[in-house]
Amino acid sequence: MSVSKSKVTNSILKSEKKSLYRFLALYITMITFLMLVLGSYYFSTQKQIMLAKQRATLSKYAYEQTKKLKALHHYFPEERTYPRDDRFKSAIYDMDFIKIFSLLEQKDIKFDKDIYLKNGYIHFVKILDNYYLGAKYLIIETEDSGVWLEVIYKKMAIYSLISFILFVSLGIFLAKLFIKPMRDSIMLLDRFIKDTTHELNTPLSTILANIEMMDKEVMAPKNIKKLDRINSAAKSVSVLYKDLTYITLEHNRSNEDEDINLQELIKQRVEYFDALAHSKQITFKLELSYSTIHIDKNKITRVIDNLISNAIKYNKRGGYIKLTTKEHFFSIEDSGIGIAKEKLPYMFDRYMRFDNSEGGFGIGLSIVKNITKEYNIKIETTSTLGKGTRIVLTW
């Protein structure tokens, strides 16, 4: 099994990343729209400037062509050859926009504009004061070289690149401001957890050691019940302590992978949690077949402990926990409170808790997710509010 080393903790939670991505998506959309609007305005402006420059030249051509039409008009019908020029092409139309004669490449004429660009051709429309040859409109046509367009595209590319870099830099700055409170709060909580871990070690070890040394045979029944409650509470704290230790220390150590008999390990962990489950009258249902997994024993223990601990913590009094193993398969199912469908994607987020009535930091399932990801173990969760949750691991 291939293993890729990964850190257990992330500085930003999944839900917070989603908010950040939404902000960035909205920001990029806005600057893209702004750049498109500015680009369109710049292109339109440059096009009008180009046409304004062309108007002087085409007006000169129109004046020369008008003189030739005047001469042809006077010598018509003896002279019937329409005047041509190598520098441009022309056409004449009557007052009803009916063509009299045309040499134009582009046939569709816009009589309501004096100059325009269409399909690579520039048209200049001149209204004739004298109806030479019955013409009211003279159209002068030249082919657009496209040089101005290349210049504009180059400038737009440069301006867009500079603007994009500036906007992206601003976006990164704003994003850092956006996530700084999240990072600060998580770092503060991380420091608190690290300090708490050091303080828990000695008293917890002392409590568990003294519980193990007590002789229940000489104790009164009511004291035995009190001791069982103390034992259950101590084991709950013990699971939390091991998670805290794993986050602050053990996730950085080298893996010691080996073939683990999952069937036997689960039996041991069920026995460990039996007192805690008994305190809520929860029954374990075991359907354990032989199954092995190649993994660090401490890490798979953390996975199993957290899944069982959560199943007990969020279960109903008098409920059950069903554990099943087969080759390359492990599932845990409980009769607990369940999780709403819209919250399922966030259940493995660090510090995420769905029921504030229960204790804990909300780190157990985050550890589960990161360990399973490290060992390429697929994890699937189904849950129904009021009915329970089922988690399946396959590898």
Side-chain angles (χ1 to χ4, degrees), residues 208 211-212 216 224-236 239 267-284 308-309 312-313 317 321:
L208 290 173
I211 290 174
E212 292 296 327
K216 292 184 179 181
I224 293 177
K225 289 183 179 181
K226 291 179 181 178
L227 182 63
D228 287 340
R229 286 196 291 269
I230 294 172
N231 190 25
S232 298
K235 287 185 175 180
S236 295
V239 172
K267 287 180 180 179
Q268 294 173 14
R269 303 322 296 166
V270 167
E271 183 179 352
Y272 177 84
F273 283 100
D274 184 64
L276 186 58
H278 182 72
S279 66
K280 293 184 69 173
Q281 300 176 359
I282 295 172
T283 304
F284 283 107
I308 295 177
S309 175
I312 295 173
K313 186 184 298 183
R317 181 168 293 276
I321 299 173

Side-chain angles (χ1 to χ4, degrees), residues 62-70 126 128 132 138:
Y63 174 75
E64 294 176 1
Q65 189 69 3
T66 302
K67 288 171 51 177
K68 293 177 183 178
L69 290 174
K70 179 180 179 181
K126 178 177 175 60
L128 302 176
Y132 301 124
L138 170 64

